[in-house]
Amino acid sequence: KGGFANENSLLKLLYAGILKAPEGWTRPIQNWYLTLSQLAIHFPDRLEKYISL
């Protein structure tokens, strides 16, 4: 925190980084189907209206 003038400047930098982050997400998610199946087991009712399993 010592490198920033105040807390607001730190928050602005974090916000800008979050906005720019998706530009670097070009690769597909590894093991997505395994993750999706685990989510479907733990949260069965939540995924059905968005994704047909």
Side-chain angles (χ1 to χ4, degrees):
K1 193 173 173 180
F4 298 96
N6 56 32
E7 187 176 330
N8 203 19
S9 62
L10 171 63
L11 291 175
K12 285 181 182 180
L13 182 64
L14 287 172
Y15 179 72
I18 289 170
L19 289 179
K20 191 167 176 64
E23 294 175 11
W25 295 341
T26 57
R27 293 183 296 167
I29 300 171
Q30 292 181 352
N31 299 323
W32 173 244
Y33 293 108
L34 177 62
T35 303
L36 187 58
S37 66
Q38 291 295 312
L39 289 171
I41 291 169
H42 291 288
F43 305 104
D45 299 334
R46 293 186 181 189
L47 294 176
E48 289 176 357
K49 53 184 165 174
Y50 302 106
I51 300 173
S52 61
L53 298 173

